[in-house]
């Protein structure tokens, strides 16, 4: 006997969270609850403003329509569903079937959200591979180059993940590279989306010897995983990409082409982020996932993130906006 519920949540964010151009004051999303017999499982549907095409309202409406069919006994048909809906429903179904392993990879790449000094402390306490992520492209490219160069000079063995979110022109990208000493460029594990177009990013990688990774490009219409000079990884954000099955296919293709696949947060709540940590351990073992986004929130939801001391809101405190 099947039943389902849709909860609506709004979680406060820390004051400094800037997406592309807007501050993110609250994180709005839905939690889907699937029940089949005595099995119950959850999934998170949370389009990310300025990154998702769909709004939270559109995702909620589509989720309700798909849940009506599921409760009536039909299988989910997610091929044409909105990415955030496909991810949340497919993840809930994966859990319901008991197919998502319990163990997660919680050793995440510290995200430098502001003060580089904080990052030095986090990295010096980091066991194993010293990987960190720093957003670039928000200030002067020269400054970004100097900061990256300083980190590589001062933290032995660091592997920096940088992310320009397609902000740079070829000239700005060159100005960045100019301030990273050639002998330090190997300290950059990859630079996500340096330039406004993939073609300019590929040219940048060839000209500078700095490895790059696709993130936004993975979601471009017609994207295909392939081996390209200078491209070493693809970043997979399930909430923005779609179903867990689609994400698993991308991971498989990346590995077939000798690329690293990195599971990355779209600022899901701690409920969804925990599922991503488990998914990352299962699908990309040995790769540090990009999941250090709990620090951007002022509250957790239902499933606590290991070591996080933020207040925990439970599903019981949320409004059930649909159930059947
Ligand atoms: O990938 C990570 O390490 C953390 C997540 C992260 O960096 C991002 C999440 C969502 C939007 C952006 O701010 C950024 C990214 O573009 O990768
Ligand atoms: Mg990115």
């Amino acid at each position: 006997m099947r039943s389902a519920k849709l909860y609506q949540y709004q979680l406060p964010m820390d004051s400094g969270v800037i997406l592309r151009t807007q501050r993110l004051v609250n994180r709005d999303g839905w939690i889907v609850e699937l029940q089949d017999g005595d099995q119950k499982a959850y999934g998170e549907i949370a389009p990310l403003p300025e990154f998702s095409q769909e709004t939270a309202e559109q995702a909620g409406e589509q989720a309700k329509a798909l849940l009506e069919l599921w409760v009536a006994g039909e299988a989910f048909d997610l091929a044409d569903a909105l990415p955030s809906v496909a991810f949340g429903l497919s993840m809930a179904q994966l859990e319901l079937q008991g197919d998502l392993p319990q163990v997660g990879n919680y050793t995440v790449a510290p995200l430098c959200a502001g003060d580089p000094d904080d990052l030095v402390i986090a990295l010096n306490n980091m066991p194993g591979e010293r990987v960190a992520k720093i957003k670039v492209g928000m200030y002067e490219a020269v400054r970004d180059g100097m900061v990256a160069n300083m980190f590589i000079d001062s933290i032995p063995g660091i592997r920096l993940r940088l992310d320009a979110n397609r902000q740079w022109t070829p000239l700005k990208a060159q100005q960045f590279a100019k301030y990273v000493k050639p002998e330090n460029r190997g300290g950059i594990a990859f630079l996500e989306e340096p330039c406004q177009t993939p073609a300019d990013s590929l040219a940048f990688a060839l000209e500078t010897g700095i490895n790059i990774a696709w993130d936004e490009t993975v979601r471009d219409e017609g994207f295909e995983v392939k081996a390209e000079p200078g491209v070493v990884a693809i970043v997979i954000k399930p909430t923005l990409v779609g179903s867990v099955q689609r994400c698993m296919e991308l991971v498989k293709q990346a590995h077939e082409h000798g690329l690293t696949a990195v599971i990355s947060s779209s600022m899901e709540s701690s409920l969804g982020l925990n599922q991503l940590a488990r998914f990352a351990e299962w699908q990309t073992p040995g790769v540090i996932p990009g999941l250090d986004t709990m620090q951007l929130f002022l509250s957790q939801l239902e499933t606590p993130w290991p070591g996080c001391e933020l207040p925990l809101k439970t599903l019981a405190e949320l409004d059930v906006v649909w159930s059947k």
Side-chain angles (χ1 to χ4, degrees):
M1 174 66 180
R2 287 180 170 180
S3 63
K5 286 180 184 172
L6 193 65
Y7 299 82
Q8 185 167 20
Y9 75 77
Q10 182 175 79
L11 299 173
M13 301 301 285
D14 184 75
S15 60
V17 181
I18 307 283
L19 289 172
R20 289 194 195 288
T21 58
Q22 292 169 13
R23 233 192 80 196
L24 188 67
V25 178
N26 291 305
R27 191 73 176 89
D28 293 293
W30 317 86
I31 300 296
V32 61
E33 178 185 291
L34 300 181
Q35 181 150 9
D36 197 349
D38 58 0
Q39 295 301 314
K40 189 183 282 189
Y42 299 96
E44 182 163 345
I45 300 171
L48 184 64
E50 298 195 271
F51 284 83
S52 294
Q53 302 302 313
E54 72 272 23
T55 65
E57 292 71 26
Q58 290 166 337
E61 287 312 304
Q62 187 178 84
K64 291 171 190 171
L66 289 166
L67 288 169
E68 287 278 357
L69 298 173
W70 185 81
V71 169
E74 295 194 26
F76 281 132
D77 176 4
L78 302 176
D80 299 323
L82 297 166
S84 59
V85 176
F87 168 63
L89 295 184
S90 61
M91 181 58 89
Q93 186 158 56
L94 194 73
E95 285 262 51
L96 194 68
Q97 294 163 185
D99 290 340
L100 179 68
Q102 282 305 320
V103 66
N105 185 352
Y106 298 97
T107 304
V108 298
L111 184 59
C112 179
D115 183 351
D117 291 340
D118 295 342
L119 199 56
V120 172
I121 296 164
L123 285 172
N124 281 329
N125 298 329
M126 198 171 176
E129 202 186 3
R130 288 178 168 177
V131 175
K133 178 146 180 192
I134 302 178
K135 281 180 82 75
V136 294
M138 295 164 71
Y139 308 103
E140 270 310 305
V142 168
R143 175 192 183 278
D144 288 332
M146 290 175 171
V147 168
N149 194 64
M150 176 273 293
F151 269 98
I152 296 164
D153 272 338
S154 51
I155 303 177
I158 190 169
R159 300 283 290 148
L160 276 183
R161 293 175 180 178
L162 303 174
D163 191 349
N165 293 107
R166 293 182 164 176
Q167 292 297 311
W168 286 333
T169 61
L171 175 63
K172 285 285 184 191
Q174 285 298 341
Q175 287 172 341
F176 162 83
K178 188 176 165 193
Y179 285 86
V180 183
K181 291 181 289 190
E183 63 270 27
N184 280 356
R185 294 179 184 180
I188 298 173
F190 52 73
L191 202 171
E192 291 174 42
E193 308 281 357
C195 299
Q196 292 156 348
T197 69
D200 287 344
S201 291
L202 286 168
F204 166 82
L206 289 179
E207 287 156 14
T208 63
I210 293 173
N211 290 329
I212 65 173
W214 298 133
D215 183 352
E216 285 85 340
T217 302
V218 172
R219 301 176 308 261
D220 281 349
E221 189 69 35
F223 172 76
E224 287 182 10
V225 180
K226 52 183 178 288
E228 297 166 293
V231 180
V232 296
I234 63 169
V235 175
I236 301 170
K237 289 184 168 53
T239 284
L240 305 183
V241 164
S243 68
V244 292
Q245 291 74 20
R246 168 69 180 142
C247 294
M248 289 163 72
E249 180 56 30
L250 282 170
V251 171
K252 178 172 176 287
Q253 291 173 10
H255 294 167
E256 287 169 351
H257 289 85
L259 300 178
T260 300
V262 179
I263 301 302
S264 169
S265 157
S266 303
M267 299 181 195
E268 293 81 359
S269 78
S270 56
L271 186 149
L273 203 65
N274 268 280
Q275 292 177 319
L276 290 180
R278 294 161 58 196
F279 187 71
E281 177 61 20
W282 176 35
Q283 290 295 313
T284 59
V287 175
I288 291 180
L291 302 178
D292 185 32
T293 50
M294 267 331 301
Q295 60 171 303
L296 306 177
F297 284 77
L298 294 180
S299 172
Q300 302 182 82
L301 180 59
E302 184 67 14
T303 314
W305 180 259
C308 179
E309 295 173 1
L310 288 172
L312 182 71
K313 181 171 279 195
T314 64
L315 288 178
E317 297 172 64
L318 300 184
D319 292 336
V320 176
V321 295
W322 181 95
S323 68
K324 201 157 193 178

